[in-house]
Amino acid sequence: MASVLVASNRGPVSYSVRDDGSLSARRGGGGLVSGLSAVSSEDSLWVCAALGAGDREAVRRGVAEPGVRMLDIDPEVYADAYNGIANSVLWFLHHHLYDIPREPVFDAAFRRRWASYRAYNRAFAEALAAAADEGAAVLVQDYHLALVPGMLRELRPDLRIGHFTHTPWAEPGYLRMLPEDILQELLWGMLGADELGFHTAMWSGAFMQGASFDNESGTAVPYFPAGTAWRGVEHRRGSGPGAQKRVTNVSVHPLGVDGDDLRALAHRPEVDARLARLHAEVGDRKTIVRVDRTELSKNILRGLMAYRELLTTHPEWRDRVVHLASAYPSRQDLESYRAYTASVVALAEEINAEFGTADWQPVLLSVEDDFTRSLAAYRLADVALVNPVRDGMNLVAKEIPVVSEAGCALVLSRGAGAYEELHADALPVNPFDITATADALHHALSMPPAERADRTKRLAAAATALPPQRWFLNQLEALRGS
């Protein structure tokens, strides 16, 4: 039994089967892994899904890391829940990515996949209910598990339940594209929590604006009690005379980076070696750096278009700048993502063919998961380009200023969650405006070194204000005190 429990689709460890049949464990990283390290492993449990054959084999053999429990969910149920709903419906919804003339389509196949999403969430809720001490704190993570708080509330009303959304939250008009009963179930699930956390006031505000909840069991209205610094959603759970009035607190916790850890990672010998190779390729030219997954919301194509327009309208930058772009392949089991990745590669090749010379390649694109190269590029960055359409936070916008050796100018989309904290010292852009982004890149490349250095110091201070451990503990303390 545990007094602090975390639930997420992906856990802190993954397994693969070696040629001899033995299992190899690989520890993961990220803000959540770092954050949970602030809690004693003897008191905590991380519940996650078995993601692949190695993970499922580990579950069958009873192999587990201390403080971690993997759930071996039926692969077809998992595929429907993860790809069919979480990544193809909820992700598209919250990032406003639908091609409206064609999508979404909510038909019988969607309902079947939603039933799998419900079953997937139910498996997590039951596992958490069985493993939690009386009055334990449970922190549920992200849109994959949006129904868990409501389910867990019914199973274990004694628990303190929190849910943190790492993505944006859809604006009310977009959210209401969901079928009414599905929307009510989604909100019912979220409002089972005592505390709902978001990265920014923009995303928490969007949730509250869209939290109209009337599912025969009650209603929900935004709640701003006089004389307090917090806000929430007031609602009833249950029906008839026994219905209970509850308030779900809605709070903002903008995840930052651990500056010391990040700098240590960026100065390992293998990063030094990769930096030397990049220096040899770039020469004495300036650099524009971006690091993203090939995720549709990251807006990589428009970033490349803006770079091409920069070279067209400001020919003085030809042979004086290199665009170091890292595009980690993402969700390549979905056709739309494979097509997007191919489009990124094709556009980079077009730019190189149009402007490149025997001595200068305008775009150096890496389409592989290569964090060592990314860290080396961070150190080399003169300009950071972060232009997502919508992003829950975007830690790259925070990481590059912390690591950049000469200081970097940050070109930052207003759609990034990081914009709320960093906009004063960034060069803000509309992510859809190619010309304005090209102008911002020119401004960034032309910025005097002293100004760039001063901006970078302030950006780095803001970026490290709430490192992962503090971010996690703040939510835990709020949950226990609510």
Side-chain angles (χ1 to χ4, degrees):
M1 305 296 281
S3 60
V4 177
L5 299 93
V6 168
S8 65
N9 174 69
R10 182 179 298 276
V13 63
S14 61
Y15 294 92
S16 58
V17 181
R18 297 189 182 98
D19 292 340
D20 64 2
S22 63
L23 290 172
S24 172
R26 178 183 177 186
R27 297 288 298 182
L32 193 58
V33 173
S34 179
L36 189 60
S37 68
V39 180
S40 168
S41 60
E42 295 179 0
D43 301 323
S44 64
L45 177 68
W46 192 322
V47 178
C48 57
L51 300 185
D55 288 354
R56 289 191 289 273
E57 183 62 25
V59 174
R60 284 192 284 270
R61 296 185 191 180
V63 174
E65 295 283 306
V68 178
R69 181 183 174 191
M70 281 187 174
L71 305 181
D72 187 7
I73 297 168
D74 178 89
E76 290 187 10
V77 171
Y78 179 82
D80 275 351
Y82 183 73
N83 281 330
I85 296 297
N87 289 340
S88 295
V89 176
L90 297 181
W91 179 275
F92 275 68
L93 198 73
H94 290 321
H95 289 84
H96 294 189
L97 288 177
Y98 277 123
D99 178 6
I100 298 299
R102 297 176 177 85
E103 300 173 313
V105 175
F106 298 123
D107 55 7
F110 161 76
R111 298 272 176 180
R112 176 183 57 78
R113 291 190 291 268
W114 185 264
S116 292
Y117 181 76
R118 187 185 297 125
Y120 164 79
N121 275 251
R122 174 66 64 180
F124 273 85
E126 291 175 349
L128 292 165
D133 284 335
E134 183 76 18
V138 182
L139 292 102
V140 182
Q141 304 297 311
D142 229 355
Y143 61 100
H144 312 91
L145 302 176
L147 304 184
V148 167
M151 294 173 171
L152 188 56
R153 176 67 56 201
E154 291 189 336
L155 294 170
R156 290 288 303 272
D158 61 294
L159 300 178
R160 307 303 295 169
I161 304 170
H163 185 284
F164 193 90
T165 300
H166 293 263
T167 64
W169 188 265
E171 297 296 329
Y174 218 86
L175 189 68
R176 291 191 179 111
M177 286 193 294
L178 285 173
E180 184 64 23
D181 60 318
I182 301 298
L183 174 57
Q184 294 300 303
E185 186 175 357
L186 178 67
L187 293 172
W188 173 88
M190 293 285 286
L191 291 173
D194 298 290
E195 294 273 342
L196 291 176
F198 298 87
H199 280 304
T200 74
M202 184 185 304
W203 311 142
S204 67
F207 177 84
M208 294 186 70
Q209 292 168 28
S212 174
F213 170 60
D214 183 2
N215 192 26
E216 296 183 358
S217 60
T219 60
V221 294
Y223 186 59
F224 300 87
T228 69
W230 57 270
R231 57 189 185 169
V233 178
E234 189 176 63
H235 53 102
R236 290 187 296 113
R237 297 190 81 81
S239 58
Q244 296 180 335
K245 181 186 286 187
R246 298 187 66 253
V247 173
T248 295
N249 296 341
V250 180
S251 56
V252 175
H253 300 280
L255 175 64
V257 300
D258 187 317
D260 291 338
D261 282 356
L262 184 61
R263 292 184 193 99
L265 282 173
H267 286 84
R268 292 173 299 166
E270 58 266 37
V271 180
D272 290 339
R274 185 61 62 86
L275 180 62
R277 287 163 55 188
L278 287 180
H279 264 304
E281 291 182 273
V282 170
D284 60 357
R285 302 176 181 92
K286 289 185 177 294
T287 59
I288 298 171
V289 171
R290 79 171 302 140
V291 174
D292 287 300
R293 292 176 290 112
T294 54
E295 164 57 56
L296 307 184
S297 64
K298 298 298 184 181
N299 212 22
I300 301 172
L301 286 174
R302 290 190 185 92
L304 286 168
M305 292 174 190
Y307 180 61
R308 179 168 61 187
E309 187 156 321
L310 169 76
L311 298 178
T312 300
T313 58
H314 292 279
E316 67 270 25
W317 288 114
R318 296 179 191 178
D319 202 22
R320 292 181 55 213
V321 64
V322 172
H323 187 9
L324 291 174
S326 291
Y328 296 6
S330 175
R331 299 174 184 167
Q332 296 298 291
D333 47 350
L334 298 178
E335 193 281 330
S336 58
Y337 283 77
R338 292 195 300 272
Y340 188 78
T341 303
S343 296
V344 168
V345 172
L347 182 52
E349 290 174 348
E350 287 177 17
I351 294 170
N352 284 336
E354 181 178 357
F355 296 101
T357 67
D359 300 319
W360 171 57
Q361 189 169 337
V363 182
L364 295 179
L365 174 66
S366 169
V367 187
E368 58 185 28
D369 191 339
D370 188 346
F371 189 49
T372 298
R373 181 189 191 268
S374 297
L375 288 171
Y378 284 5
R379 290 172 59 182
L380 197 57
D382 295 301
V383 177
L385 175 57
V386 181
N387 68 320
V389 173
R390 282 166 71 87
D391 228 337
M393 172 51 69
N394 197 302
L395 288 179
V396 171
K398 295 185 171 186
E399 290 170 348
I400 296 181
V402 171
V403 174
S404 174
E405 294 183 347
C408 70
L410 174 62
V411 176
L412 181 63
S413 166
R414 294 185 179 92
Y419 176 80
E420 282 192 7
E421 298 169 88
L422 305 182
H423 66 89
D425 290 295
L427 301 177
V429 293
N430 172 346
F432 303 101
D433 191 335
I434 303 299
T435 296
T437 303
D439 290 343
L441 290 173
H442 173 65
H443 182 182
L445 290 166
S446 306
M447 187 177 291
E451 179 186 352
R452 191 176 66 187
D454 287 343
R455 286 183 185 239
T456 302
K457 288 177 184 177
R458 293 190 294 268
L459 289 168
T464 55
L466 198 64
Q469 287 196 1
R470 187 67 261 165
W471 171 82
F472 183 85
L473 289 174
N474 281 0
Q475 292 175 70
L476 184 59
E477 291 164 5
L479 184 57
R480 286 171 165 168
S482 61

